[in-house]
mmCIF file with all atom_site columns, all heavy atoms in Angstrom:
data_model
loop_
_atom_site.group_PDB
_atom_site.id
_atom_site.type_symbol
_atom_site.label_atom_id
_atom_site.label_alt_id
_atom_site.label_comp_id
_atom_site.label_asym_id
_atom_site.label_entity_id
_atom_site.label_seq_id
_atom_site.pdbx_PDB_ins_code
_atom_site.Cartn_x
_atom_site.Cartn_y
_atom_site.Cartn_z
_atom_site.occupancy
_atom_site.B_iso_or_equiv
_atom_site.pdbx_formal_charge
_atom_site.auth_seq_id
_atom_site.auth_comp_id
_atom_site.auth_asym_id
_atom_site.auth_atom_id
_atom_site.pdbx_PDB_model_num
ATOM 1  N N   . ASP A 1 422 ? 96.546  116.200 -35.409 1.00 0.00 ? 528 ASP A N   1
ATOM 2  C CA  . ASP A 1 422 ? 96.880  117.556 -35.874 1.00 0.00 ? 528 ASP A CA  1
ATOM 3  C C   . ASP A 1 422 ? 97.897  117.504 -37.015 1.00 0.00 ? 528 ASP A C   1
ATOM 4  O O   . ASP A 1 422 ? 97.819  118.273 -37.977 1.00 0.00 ? 528 ASP A O   1
ATOM 5  C CB  . ASP A 1 422 ? 97.437  118.397 -34.706 1.00 0.00 ? 528 ASP A CB  1
ATOM 6  C CG  . ASP A 1 422 ? 96.455  118.475 -33.542 1.00 0.00 ? 528 ASP A CG  1
ATOM 7  O OD1 . ASP A 1 422 ? 95.260  118.195 -33.775 1.00 0.00 ? 528 ASP A OD1 1
ATOM 8  O OD2 . ASP A 1 422 ? 96.871  118.791 -32.420 1.00 0.00 ? 528 ASP A OD2 1
ATOM 9  N N   . THR A 1 423 ? 98.847  116.577 -36.904 1.00 0.00 ? 529 THR A N   1
ATOM 10 C CA  . THR A 1 423 ? 99.867  116.424 -37.946 1.00 0.00 ? 529 THR A CA  1
ATOM 11 C C   . THR A 1 423 ? 99.234  115.959 -39.252 1.00 0.00 ? 529 THR A C   1
ATOM 12 O O   . THR A 1 423 ? 99.631  116.387 -40.338 1.00 0.00 ? 529 THR A O   1
ATOM 13 C CB  . THR A 1 423 ? 100.940 115.414 -37.470 1.00 0.00 ? 529 THR A CB  1
ATOM 14 O OG1 . THR A 1 423 ? 101.389 115.818 -36.181 1.00 0.00 ? 529 THR A OG1 1
ATOM 15 C CG2 . THR A 1 423 ? 102.127 115.375 -38.400 1.00 0.00 ? 529 THR A CG2 1
ATOM 16 N N   . ALA A 1 424 ? 98.210  115.083 -39.146 1.00 0.00 ? 530 ALA A N   1
ATOM 17 C CA  . ALA A 1 424 ? 97.504  114.589 -40.344 1.00 0.00 ? 530 ALA A CA  1
ATOM 18 C C   . ALA A 1 424 ? 96.746  115.723 -41.034 1.00 0.00 ? 530 ALA A C   1
ATOM 19 O O   . ALA A 1 424 ? 96.683  115.774 -42.266 1.00 0.00 ? 530 ALA A O   1
ATOM 20 C CB  . ALA A 1 424 ? 96.533  113.476 -39.949 1.00 0.00 ? 530 ALA A CB  1
ATOM 21 N N   . ILE A 1 425 ? 96.177  116.626 -40.242 1.00 0.00 ? 531 ILE A N   1
ATOM 22 C CA  . ILE A 1 425 ? 95.423  117.757 -40.827 1.00 0.00 ? 531 ILE A CA  1
ATOM 23 C C   . ILE A 1 425 ? 96.380  118.656 -41.629 1.00 0.00 ? 531 ILE A C   1
ATOM 24 O O   . ILE A 1 425 ? 96.046  119.110 -42.728 1.00 0.00 ? 531 ILE A O   1
ATOM 25 C CB  . ILE A 1 425 ? 94.666  118.534 -39.722 1.00 0.00 ? 531 ILE A CB  1
ATOM 26 C CG1 . ILE A 1 425 ? 93.519  117.654 -39.185 1.00 0.00 ? 531 ILE A CG1 1
ATOM 27 C CG2 . ILE A 1 425 ? 94.121  119.867 -40.249 1.00 0.00 ? 531 ILE A CG2 1
ATOM 28 C CD1 . ILE A 1 425 ? 92.850  118.172 -37.926 1.00 0.00 ? 531 ILE A CD1 1
ATOM 29 N N   . VAL A 1 426 ? 97.597  118.861 -41.097 1.00 0.00 ? 532 VAL A N   1
ATOM 30 C CA  . VAL A 1 426 ? 98.594  119.674 -41.812 1.00 0.00 ? 532 VAL A CA  1
ATOM 31 C C   . VAL A 1 426 ? 99.050  118.949 -43.078 1.00 0.00 ? 532 VAL A C   1
ATOM 32 O O   . VAL A 1 426 ? 99.191  119.552 -44.141 1.00 0.00 ? 532 VAL A O   1
ATOM 33 C CB  . VAL A 1 426 ? 99.799  119.995 -40.894 1.00 0.00 ? 532 VAL A CB  1
ATOM 34 C CG1 . VAL A 1 426 ? 100.908 120.699 -41.669 1.00 0.00 ? 532 VAL A CG1 1
ATOM 35 C CG2 . VAL A 1 426 ? 99.355  120.855 -39.723 1.00 0.00 ? 532 VAL A CG2 1
ATOM 36 N N   . LEU A 1 427 ? 99.257  117.621 -42.969 1.00 0.00 ? 533 LEU A N   1
ATOM 37 C CA  . LEU A 1 427 ? 99.649  116.825 -44.137 1.00 0.00 ? 533 LEU A CA  1
ATOM 38 C C   . LEU A 1 427 ? 98.587  116.928 -45.232 1.00 0.00 ? 533 LEU A C   1
ATOM 39 O O   . LEU A 1 427 ? 98.913  117.112 -46.412 1.00 0.00 ? 533 LEU A O   1
ATOM 40 C CB  . LEU A 1 427 ? 99.843  115.355 -43.728 1.00 0.00 ? 533 LEU A CB  1
ATOM 41 C CG  . LEU A 1 427 ? 100.206 114.385 -44.857 1.00 0.00 ? 533 LEU A CG  1
ATOM 42 C CD1 . LEU A 1 427 ? 101.590 114.673 -45.410 1.00 0.00 ? 533 LEU A CD1 1
ATOM 43 C CD2 . LEU A 1 427 ? 100.128 112.938 -44.386 1.00 0.00 ? 533 LEU A CD2 1
#
Side-chain angles (χ1 to χ4, degrees):
D528 303 342
T529 308
I531 290 169
V532 174
L533 178 67

